[in-house]
């Protein structure tokens, strides 16, 4: 596997930021791209060092995995003017997809994440359905309004007194359901995860809509050993 550990200046963030890109050793033709988003307590390196996703990149031979640093932003445009949503959804793809051989086609672009990153992946895919063919969420913050109410994490740097609808996955998915173009969705959560009930609530909501939506659950909690298995499964499921 070829590995790019890159620092670059982001206009949206107003600072230098880090990205890891995993590539197959031998590149023939255009690659598919999977953007992988980390959780609240992680950074851009965790997918590389805490999973075996690099093996999937090698085995595929046609996949590039891009792991940006999303800070503790919930992949939002923060009140501090660190515009992580704009960065991940617009600036980063525009930059990265000029560096590697990529078709530019929607069917070759995917996004996935865990916990906070699962929320970010679904939100970005729901808001940009013309850009992403598929999205995956593992142990996700699927009910961000509920988390905002009960979480000990101070989200005042991100949101005001209440979370707007355009940051809520229930609202975004319902709005997108009217659209003919929708991303495929894969969603997993473990029985022992502290956000299991939130994920089941979102599962039940998604089943009322017309998405190509797959939900699975199994033994597991909010740990990397399960996310490692899920990212490998997702790459196979999406034929990456």
């Amino acid at each position: 596997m070829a590995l790019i550990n890159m620092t670059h200046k982001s206009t949206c963030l107003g600072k230098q930021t880090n990205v890891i890109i995993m590539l197959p050793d031998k590149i023939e033709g255009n690659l598919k791209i999977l953007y992988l988003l980390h959780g609240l307590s992680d950074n851009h390196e965790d997918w590389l060092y805490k999973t075996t996703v690099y093996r999937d990149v090698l085995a595929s031979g046609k996949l590039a995995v891009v792991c940006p640093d999303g800070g503790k932003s919930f992949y939002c445009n923060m009140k501090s003017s660190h515009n992580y949503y704009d960065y991940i959804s617009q600036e980063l793809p525009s930059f990265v997809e000029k560096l590697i051989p990529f078709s530019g086609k929607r069917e070759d672009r995917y996004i996935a994440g865990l916990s906070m990153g699962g929320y970010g992946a679904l939100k970005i895919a729901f808001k940009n359905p013309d850009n992403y063919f598929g999205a995956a969420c593992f142990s996700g913050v699927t009910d961000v309004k509920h988390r905002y109410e009960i979480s000990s994490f101070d989200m005042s740097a991100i949101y005001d007194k209440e979370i707007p609808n355009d940051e809520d996955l229930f609202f975004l998915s319902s709005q997108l359901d009217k659209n003919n173009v929708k991303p495929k969705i894969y969603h997993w959560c473990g029985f022992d995860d502290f956000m299991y009930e939130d994920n089941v609530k979102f599962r039940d909501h998604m089943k009322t809509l017309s998405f190509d939506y797959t939900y699975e659950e199994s033994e597991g909690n909010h740990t990397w050993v399960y996310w490692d298995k899920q990212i490998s499964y997702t790459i196979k499921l999406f034929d990456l």
Side-chain angles (χ1 to χ4, degrees):
M1 181 190 74
L3 180 66
I4 301 173
N5 198 335
M6 178 177 64
T7 300
H8 74 111
K9 179 67 178 291
S10 165
T11 301
C12 290
L13 301 182
K15 63 175 185 176
Q16 297 283 337
T17 190
N18 299 303
V19 184
I20 281 178
I21 304 174
M22 304 176 218
L23 300 166
D25 287 329
K26 187 176 181 180
I27 299 174
E28 297 180 355
N30 289 323
L31 298 172
K32 295 185 178 183
I33 292 185
L34 172 63
Y35 292 91
L36 269 186
L37 308 185
H38 64 76
L40 182 66
S41 60
D42 307 315
N43 64 27
H44 66 291
E45 296 181 323
D46 286 76
W47 279 110
L48 174 62
Y49 293 119
K50 294 183 179 178
T51 74
T52 57
V53 66
Y54 61 89
R55 295 181 182 175
D56 299 299
V57 172
L58 284 172
S60 167
K62 60 183 180 181
L63 174 65
V65 170
V66 179
C67 304
D69 194 335
K72 297 182 181 295
S73 67
F74 275 75
Y75 300 96
C76 296
N77 288 338
M78 302 175 73
K79 291 157 64 176
S80 63
S81 298
H82 291 163
N83 295 327
Y84 277 94
Y85 171 77
D86 289 347
Y87 170 65
I88 301 293
S89 66
Q90 300 172 30
E91 184 181 12
L92 178 66
S94 178
F95 180 68
V96 166
E97 292 171 12
K98 293 175 183 175
L99 297 178
I100 61 178
F102 178 65
S103 68
K105 295 178 181 178
R106 173 180 179 264
E107 57 264 33
D108 292 334
R109 189 185 294 109
Y110 298 76
I111 190 166
L114 65 91
S115 195
M116 179 187 80
Y119 164 74
L122 292 183
K123 178 174 69 172
I124 289 170
F126 288 160
K127 286 188 171 187
N128 302 274
D130 293 334
N131 292 343
Y132 297 92
F133 195 75
C137 170
F138 319 130
S139 309
V141 183
T142 51
D143 192 345
V144 70
K145 290 186 175 181
H146 182 227
R147 285 293 120 193
Y148 184 59
E149 292 171 358
I150 68 172
S151 177
S152 59
F153 174 64
D154 182 5
M155 301 169 95
S156 61
I158 307 171
Y159 304 114
D160 289 317
K161 292 184 179 180
E162 59 183 41
I163 293 176
N165 282 337
D166 67 356
E167 299 290 342
D168 176 55
L169 297 182
F170 290 87
F171 177 83
L172 291 171
S173 55
S174 293
Q175 290 295 107
L176 183 57
D177 196 46
K178 305 168 188 176
N179 198 325
N180 290 329
V181 177
K182 295 186 282 290
K184 292 183 177 181
I185 304 296
Y186 174 64
H187 177 198
W188 174 88
C189 192
F191 299 138
D192 299 319
D193 196 291
F194 69 94
M195 288 193 290
Y196 175 71
E197 290 184 3
D198 284 355
N199 279 260
V200 168
K201 179 181 176 183
F202 187 68
R203 173 203 68 189
D204 292 345
H205 165 75
M206 287 295 292
K207 286 186 174 180
T208 68
L209 307 179
S210 60
F211 283 76
D212 182 345
Y213 172 75
T214 300
Y215 174 81
E216 293 191 9
E217 57 184 31
S218 61
E219 295 296 331
N221 54 19
H222 211 76
T223 55
W224 281 97
V225 64
Y226 300 103
W227 301 325
D228 185 19
K229 295 176 182 177
Q230 287 304 312
I231 190 57
S232 290
Y233 178 75
T234 298
I235 286 171
K236 294 181 178 67
L237 181 69
F238 286 158
D239 190 25
L240 301 179

